[in-house]
Every structure is written in C-alpha cells, then in structure tokens.
Amino acid sequence: MDKDANKRGAVPAAALMALALALFPACGRGGRDAAWRPVIGVKIYEAAPPFDGLFRQWRDLGINTAFVSEDLLTNADFRALARADHLRIFLIYPVFQSPEAIKESPEIAAVTASGAPAREEWVEFVCPTKGDDYLERRIEHLRSLIAAGDPDVVSLDFIRFFVFWEKVAPDRTPGSLPQTCFCPSCLGLFERGYDVHIPAGLTGTADKAKWILENHAAAWADWKCDKIVNAVTRLAKAAREVKPSVRINLHAVPWRRGDFGGAIRSVAGQDFVRLAPLVDTISPMTYHHMVRQTPAWVHDVVADISAQTQGAAVLPSIQVSKAYVEDELPPDEFRAALEQALRPPSKGVVLWSWDALSKSPEKMAILKSLDGLKNKAR
Ligand SMILES: [Zn+2]
C-alpha cells in the first residue's frame, strides 16, 4: 500500500473498524483483518465442486461473506475453503415458507381471509400455530445443522406471515394485501390471547376474518407480531444453545413503517422494534427493481429500520439482475443501488444473487471498482 493510499484510508478505516466491531465483536478474535471487515456478501444457493475457482473470484472481488444454503453449509470442501479465506458464513434458514411440508400435510397451510390456503405462485406458507410441530421440527433441524456446519450466523428467512411482497408495487392498496392466518387454531388463540369474542352467528372463515379486520385490526396485527417474536425467540435460543457465539440475522420484508398502511406489522407480522433485541442484524431485502422503487429507496428502508429500532444493525440485500419484471436492471442502476446500500448506517451489502452477479462481467467490475469498503476489506 503506498503512502497516499494510507492517507486516503486513514479516517474511513477507523470508522469501518468501529462499524464492524459493533456488528461482529467476536470477529476480533479471528485476527486483525477479520476484526474490521464490513460485510460485502453474496447469496449463493448451489455450486458444484471444485470450489477453488469460486473462492478465487470472491477474493478478487473483495467478497468476504457468503449467505449459503443448507447444502453448501454442510459441504466439507466448501466449508474448508471458506474457513481458509476467513469468509463469514451465514446459513440461510427458511422458516414458514415450505411447499414440501404443505404437500406432505396440507392441513398445516396458512389460511387466507377467504378461507383458502395461503399460496401465490411459489410462495406457500405454513400456519404459525397449527404448524407448531412443524416449527419444532425446524428448530430441531437448525440445531443439527449448526452442529454439523458451524455457521457464523443463522439468517432467518421467511420468518413472517404470508405475502408475496416481491410483487407488491407502490400503488398497491393496503386492503389488497393478503391477511393470514384464519385457521381455527389461530382464531382460537387470538380470541383467548386478546379477549376477543367472535360472534357466534359467524360460522364461515370469510365472515370471521372480515369481522376481525373490521373490528379488531390493531389487536390482530399485535397478535401476528407476537407469533413472529415467539418464533424468532425460540429459533435464536436453540441456535445459541448449540453455539453460544452464533449470530442471528433476520430477513426483513422491505417495507418502511408507514408503507401500505403499516403492513410491515399488520400483514407481514414483522415488528422491528420488538425483533431488534432478539437478533444481531436485520437484513431488509431491498430489491428495488422488482418492487418498482428507485436506488435511493434502498437507503430509505435502511434508515427507517435503523431509526425505529434506535440503531439496530441493518444489513441491506440488493438485487443484481431483473426478477419478476420484464425490463432489465442496467449496470448503472446496479451501481447506484450498491452505493445507496453502503450509505451509513448500513453495515455493508449483500448481493442477491451470486448466480446473477457471476453472469455479468460488467456488474462484477462495478463491485470491484467500488472505493472504500471493499479495498480495505482484505
Ligand atoms: Zn393458523
């Protein structure tokens, strides 16, 4: 490193170290470099061995974190190379999204306000209460995965109520968003928990749902948030019992407090004020292009979550290429989103996905050319 580079790097490096220590204080034990690396991550769901070329590319791009599937976490070769490179491993752990479990036991599907199973294209959610055995099995499976794969972070995904938010554009009305779960188990628990009494004359699911949403919408939102807080509490506790130093990240629906009439709580059941103390980082999936937003919106979401949680660590994930819409996501727009994602108080950026990035030499060059974070990460 030349003298000028040192000079340029002095202040940002100190700031970055403070950020990274706040985010990953345990990393200090891993060595000087590991102590202050901000997150430059990719989400990767599958990869075929040998992995040497993959890790070489990541080193070249300054990628220091991988959000991986269960399959990759438990692949000994992948893990050994990740460890050798001091790569942080986040295990992506889906919770309530499970077409497989619902296929096996259709009765555990969440129920919409019309009484239908909660399903839209590939999105299929398990009821958070009727599926308690299901959640218990997910918790046990998480324990075994942590024991087998030793992730640095458990990244809880689909830890919310049903909504295909990826297709929710800014012009959607709150009333058009799905409400779940109105199965008998959830209705019974809601009535008992919140001292609400559904009139005996209402017998159909649609009538009961309508009555609740018209008369007890606030309590219903609170109850939904309770269920997610409860699930996160149980999953995090189990994870930390197996590995006390493991960190917990939460995949957040990218809605600000006031968006869609407060749908982050009333539809998704994600109350960041209550969830922040339970986890180490909150990672909004700020995929601006698919939800018809601008790159600047990425930072707005990060700032909103940080403000409402009084400074919880927020780690945005951005999309690399188009999804669900016809028009392309141009390189310049990707660069703009990347820059917005890295603005304070962000703790870094996660790119969804490696598959998309690896297919675009131009976008890889943009990542590599970024000033600041990446250059000081290695
Ligand atoms: Zn239910």
Side-chain angles (χ1 to χ4, degrees):
M1 191 182 279
D2 64 38
K3 197 179 160 200
D4 284 339
N6 266 324
K7 204 184 289 174
R8 280 199 307 275
V11 172
L16 291 171
M17 184 178 290
L19 277 183
L21 284 172
L23 181 56
F24 288 107
C27 291
R29 294 195 295 271
R32 194 173 62 86
D33 286 338
W36 55 274
R37 291 183 304 167
V39 172
I40 303 291
V42 288
K43 290 184 179 173
I44 179 168
Y45 300 88
E46 48 192 20
F51 301 112
D52 307 68
L54 178 68
F55 282 87
R56 205 161 36 242
Q57 271 186 301
W58 287 355
R59 279 197 297 276
D60 182 49
L61 294 171
I63 288 165
N64 58 29
T65 300
F67 280 60
V68 306
S69 60
E70 177 178 332
D71 283 351
L72 281 175
L73 176 77
T74 51
N75 183 302
D77 292 341
F78 181 90
R79 219 168 50 242
L81 285 167
R83 289 286 175 246
D85 270 6
H86 302 292
L87 203 84
R88 252 181 233 131
I89 301 183
F90 282 57
L91 165 66
I92 300 172
Y93 199 67
V95 181
F96 290 120
Q97 156 77 6
S98 185
E100 304 80 12
I102 292 168
K103 192 173 180 189
E104 206 172 279
S105 311
E107 72 281 0
I108 66 170
V111 174
T112 68
S114 68
R119 177 178 190 176
E120 195 176 337
E121 298 183 27
W122 57 269
V123 185
E124 289 186 70
F125 268 54
V126 172
C127 158
T129 70
K130 195 167 46 177
D132 202 49
D133 287 348
Y134 165 83
L135 181 58
E136 198 51 49
R137 286 200 304 276
R138 289 305 286 160
I139 292 169
E140 288 311 308
H141 187 58
L142 178 60
R143 287 180 190 273
S144 66
L145 276 180
I146 295 170
D150 191 29
D152 298 300
V153 184
V154 169
S155 201
L156 300 173
D157 199 2
F158 300 101
I159 184 82
R160 56 182 173 86
F161 279 77
F162 169 77
V163 59
F164 194 6
W165 63 263
E166 291 91 336
K167 286 194 163 181
V168 175
D171 61 356
R172 278 283 285 275
T173 59
S176 72
L177 296 172
Q179 274 289 350
T180 57
C181 172
F182 296 101
C183 78
S185 165
C186 286
L187 289 177
L189 287 167
F190 173 60
E191 285 190 282
R192 289 195 292 281
Y194 279 77
D195 200 24
V196 168
H197 305 282
I198 298 171
L202 301 177
T203 52
T205 302
D207 289 339
K208 291 178 185 175
K210 186 166 180 284
W211 183 85
I212 288 172
L213 295 172
E214 283 177 359
N215 297 284
H216 296 279
W220 178 247
D222 289 346
W223 180 81
K224 291 175 74 167
C225 294
D226 290 347
K227 294 297 117 191
I228 300 306
V229 163
N230 179 265
V232 171
T233 301
R234 290 169 63 187
L235 285 152
K237 179 170 178 281
R240 289 167 178 145
E241 278 170 5
V242 179
K243 178 177 177 177
S245 65
V246 79
R247 305 228 151 214
I248 309 293
N249 177 54
L250 181 125
H251 292 220
V253 173
W255 291 342
R256 293 159 297 192
R257 276 164 293 186
D259 290 341
F260 310 109
I264 189 65
R265 293 184 74 258
S266 63
V267 173
Q270 289 190 328
D271 184 333
F272 300 133
V273 175
R274 295 178 65 192
L275 292 168
L278 306 175
V279 301
D280 297 282
T281 43
I282 295 177
S283 186
M285 296 168 281
T286 40
Y287 305 152
H288 79 276
H289 190 255
M290 71 174 70
V291 296
R292 304 295 190 180
Q293 293 280 6
T294 63
W297 167 87
V298 172
H299 169 71
D300 288 349
V301 174
V302 171
D304 184 77
I305 295 175
S306 176
Q308 61 177 301
T309 56
Q310 295 176 346
V314 184
L315 177 60
S317 180
I318 63 170
Q319 69 181 112
V320 174
S321 63
K322 71 172 181 178
Y324 306 116
V325 296
E326 285 300 311
D327 47 318
E328 299 294 332
L329 198 171
D332 280 352
E333 193 173 323
F334 168 69
R335 179 199 297 275
L338 192 52
E339 288 170 354
Q340 291 291 329
L342 290 169
R343 286 176 61 191
S346 167
K347 304 302 183 191
V349 67
V350 185
L351 304 172
W352 177 74
S353 60
W354 169 250
D355 184 54
L357 186 65
S358 66
K359 288 173 181 159
S360 172
E362 208 171 351
K363 288 172 183 169
M364 282 196 282
I366 288 170
L367 179 63
K368 198 173 172 182
S369 71
L370 263 194
D371 288 328
L373 294 177
K374 178 180 67 60
N375 292 336
K376 297 171 185 66
R378 295 255 162 204

